[in-house]
Amino acid sequence: MQLLLAAVVVLPLVGALAALLPAPPGLKGKNPDQAVLRHGVTVTGAVLAAAIALAVGFDHDHPARMQATTDISWIPALDIRIHLGVDGISLPLVVLTALLTFLCALYSYFHMPTGPSPKAFVALLLTLEAGTLATFAVLDLMLFFLAFEMVLIPMYFLIARWGGRGKQAAAWKFILYTLLGSVVMLLGLLLIGVKSGTFDMVALATDNGPKAQLSHTVQVLAVLAIGIGLAVKSPLWPLHSWLPDAHTAAPTVGSVLLAGVLLKMGTYGFVRIALPITPEGMHTFAPYLAALAAVGIIYGSLACLALVRKGAKGDLKRLIAYSSVGHMGFVLLGIASMTPTGVNGALFANIAHGLITGLLFFLVGALKDRYGSTDLDTLAGSTGAALYGRAPRFGGLLAFAAVASLGIPGLAGFWGEMLAMFGAFRPAPGLSRPAFLTFMVLAGLGTLLTAAYLLLVVRRVCMGGTPHLAPTAPLGTADPVGEDPSGQPAPAPVIPDIARYEYAAWAPLAVLTVLAGLWPAALLGLTDPAVQQLLGGGK
């Protein structure tokens, strides 16, 4: 188990270095580009296999205990250690990261985004995976910070080099926001380490450990500093403004990984660091965190409703990005309740959002490849895009992902949001129940607004009159219907239905969305004992 977890963290980094080397003669295939893309699929596949083996070998009877641990002294003078381990909180995120990265590598093998050399693309993708996996596996505050920062550079270049319109500005906005937040977070982490005498996250999480040396003032200052850095990555309103631009400009796989796993790093930090290590400081800021989360839920939904209006020239990719602000608001609301119910809901919503929004960004990227645009007015044309009639499987899967995202019972999106609101209904002792009831009502209103804009997306993109199809017409026209020079409606281009490689990349996300919705105990059985112990001070 120790070797498996070490392999999960280190193998992507080794694969990234190998991707930059020339391929052996017997493995080049048709051309070097194909060889390096195949290398990316192989390495991410091996990491996914190791993560699944880790999950199978995990002691499910004791999910609160750190397992597969490695603890090696690295910088003795500062007591910084290479400390790795997983429990019921981090294991699902490790498997989700390995799965999404593998699906992105598989999708890119058949549909490489336009940009520079595939070598650099694969190396950056694997570096990004290594940093994300390390964030969820390390148990030392300084290692957590290093892993947290490690993902910024590869994501910056993925956006800046392989992105679309406005990619340079979006990449700079992403890196500046996250770096500035991280600088403040580092100050908070150093404050904890200096005042407690250790950076070990397991030792700090116990009530009778070094945490006892942290005064109320120190905890408040630490949560304020660390919370700013985590809130930027989460993203928490009003520190979210980098997200829509980054998603809109990023290539498809960049958007999938940004929404599917990078946003989870911020919320995971709140659960792993703020809640157990600085509970008094977290208690002080919990009402403010919950209030901003509730505002983010409403704000994200209203922004999506504004984008989906006819004639608004709203971008579908940008709309899904704003929806993430709302969905992550539920995660932060659950964390702010400081109850086992709310935190379990937050962790469940994290996984559900990764599955569903990852699928949505895959679909929107494929829709852009077929139409040449993600502008909703362009997609709908004069009669509606009518995907049900033109590409029924594609239209059906898009409708499924939208329904899952709005939180319908029986699918993964329902349980996390419901439990987060239950947590707000009865918050931890000492927190204002009337205030949290107000936040819960706002979150409930947000679910109605979410249903409104997602159903409007389905109506505009999937429904409508099916225009006359022109088999020889090129894809990517500015208007799917349009008019010919005589003023008559021009034949619409054929929209290809789901290809085999798209089935392979998207089907696992759809299947897991259904399984998590029908069998939530599989995930909650892992997280609940670990959450109970975390909130109980290690008891």
Side-chain angles (χ1 to χ4, degrees):
M1 292 290 285
Q2 289 176 321
L3 291 175
L4 275 175
L5 183 57
V8 165
V9 174
V10 174
L11 189 57
L13 203 55
V14 175
L17 295 173
L20 299 175
L21 302 175
L27 298 177
K28 287 185 178 179
K30 295 180 180 178
N31 56 67
D33 290 349
Q34 184 193 50
V36 74
L37 291 171
R38 186 169 60 245
H39 169 79
V41 175
T42 303
V43 174
T44 55
V47 173
L48 176 59
I52 293 174
L54 186 69
V56 171
F58 187 81
D59 185 357
H60 292 262
D61 293 330
H62 301 90
R65 179 168 54 86
M66 282 293 171
Q67 302 181 34
T69 56
T70 298
D71 192 358
I72 303 170
S73 178
W74 183 34
I75 307 177
L78 300 176
D79 193 28
I80 297 176
R81 309 182 67 82
I82 299 176
H83 194 181
L84 306 177
V86 290
D87 61 357
I89 292 172
S90 53
L91 180 64
L93 290 168
V94 168
V95 176
L96 175 68
T97 301
L99 173 65
L100 284 177
T101 311
F102 169 70
L103 296 180
C104 287
L106 181 64
Y107 185 82
S108 300
Y109 178 77
F110 294 97
H111 192 83
M112 172 70 192
T114 304
S117 164
K119 276 193 172 189
F121 176 83
V122 171
L124 290 169
L125 189 69
L126 292 172
T127 305
L128 182 68
E129 181 182 29
T132 311
L133 289 168
T135 301
F136 299 137
V138 298
L139 298 173
D140 183 278
L141 289 177
M142 287 297 99
L143 254 64
F144 176 86
F145 176 77
L146 293 176
F148 198 85
E149 295 303 287
M150 182 178 171
V151 304
L152 301 184
I153 300 303
M155 181 54 73
Y156 166 82
F157 281 109
L158 285 174
I159 297 172
R161 294 298 184 93
W162 287 271
R165 181 184 304 174
K167 57 187 180 183
Q168 294 291 343
W172 274 111
K173 196 171 186 179
F174 163 77
I175 199 76
L176 289 175
Y177 262 77
T178 49
L179 276 179
L180 289 174
S182 297
V183 169
V184 181
M185 184 177 73
L186 177 60
L187 296 177
L189 297 175
L190 290 173
L191 178 62
I192 292 175
V194 169
K195 292 296 183 179
S196 66
T198 182
F199 292 104
D200 188 275
M201 294 159 68
V202 177
L204 285 165
T206 58
D207 283 342
N208 57 352
K211 180 172 67 176
Q213 302 178 38
L214 300 177
S215 66
H216 177 78
T217 302
V218 169
Q219 291 194 33
V220 169
L221 292 174
V223 167
L224 179 60
I226 295 170
I228 289 174
L230 298 176
V232 170
K233 188 67 71 74
S234 292
L236 176 69
W237 183 91
L239 302 175
H240 69 285
S241 59
W242 62 270
L243 184 69
D245 292 340
H247 269 309
T248 306
T252 297
V253 295
S255 293
V256 171
L257 293 175
L258 183 58
V261 292
L262 262 69
L263 301 189
K264 313 303 178 286
M265 294 165 61
T267 53
Y268 173 78
F270 276 109
V271 174
R272 181 63 74 192
I273 299 173
L275 280 177
I277 297 177
T278 54
E280 294 180 25
M282 189 67 185
H283 194 279
T284 300
F285 284 105
Y288 305 102
L289 177 62
L292 294 176
V295 171
I297 293 170
I298 300 296
Y299 170 83
S301 300
L302 291 177
C304 292
L305 281 171
L307 289 171
V308 80
R309 284 186 302 109
K310 189 174 182 179
K313 291 292 181 183
D315 187 282
L316 184 55
K317 208 173 180 185
R318 194 174 188 86
L319 184 147
I320 303 302
Y322 272 111
S323 77
S324 291
V325 177
H327 289 305
M328 297 309 290
F330 282 97
V331 177
L332 293 165
L333 178 62
I335 294 170
S337 73
M338 298 186 69
T339 62
T341 301
V343 176
N344 276 303
L347 294 172
F348 197 102
N350 255 346
I351 301 299
H353 180 264
L355 296 172
I356 297 168
T357 308
L359 177 58
L360 277 170
F361 274 116
F362 267 133
L363 291 166
V364 173
L367 203 62
K368 183 176 183 179
D369 295 333
R370 286 158 167 78
Y371 279 91
S373 172
T374 51
D375 181 89
L376 274 164
D377 291 333
T378 299
L379 291 175
S382 58
T383 63
L387 278 178
Y388 288 152
R390 304 171 69 183
R393 295 179 183 84
F394 194 104
L397 189 56
L398 180 61
F400 166 82
V403 168
S405 185
L406 65 86
I408 193 169
L411 297 176
F414 170 73
W415 296 105
E417 296 182 1
M418 182 194 70
L419 290 173
M421 288 193 286
F422 276 173
F425 179 74
R426 199 175 298 277
L431 296 177
S432 171
R433 194 177 182 211
F436 272 81
L437 286 175
T438 303
F439 304 147
M440 184 195 72
V441 170
L442 290 174
L445 177 60
T447 61
L448 298 178
L449 296 174
T450 300
Y453 71 75
L454 286 170
L455 291 175
L456 284 171
V457 167
V458 172
R459 188 183 73 176
R460 296 198 67 194
V461 177
C462 297
M463 303 173 72
T466 305
H468 171 65
L469 300 179
T472 58
L475 293 177
T477 56
D479 187 346
V481 180
E483 293 184 350
D484 64 17
S486 66
Q488 298 298 318
V494 172
I495 302 301
D497 216 330
I498 301 177
R500 289 183 180 178
Y501 74 91
E502 291 173 330
Y503 271 122
W506 304 343
L509 301 179
V511 170
L512 289 173
T513 298
V514 175
L515 289 178
L518 296 178
W519 191 24
L523 183 56
L524 293 174
L526 280 175
T527 62
D528 185 54
V531 168
Q532 297 277 0
Q533 180 170 303
L534 209 65
L535 295 179
K539 300 176 184 176

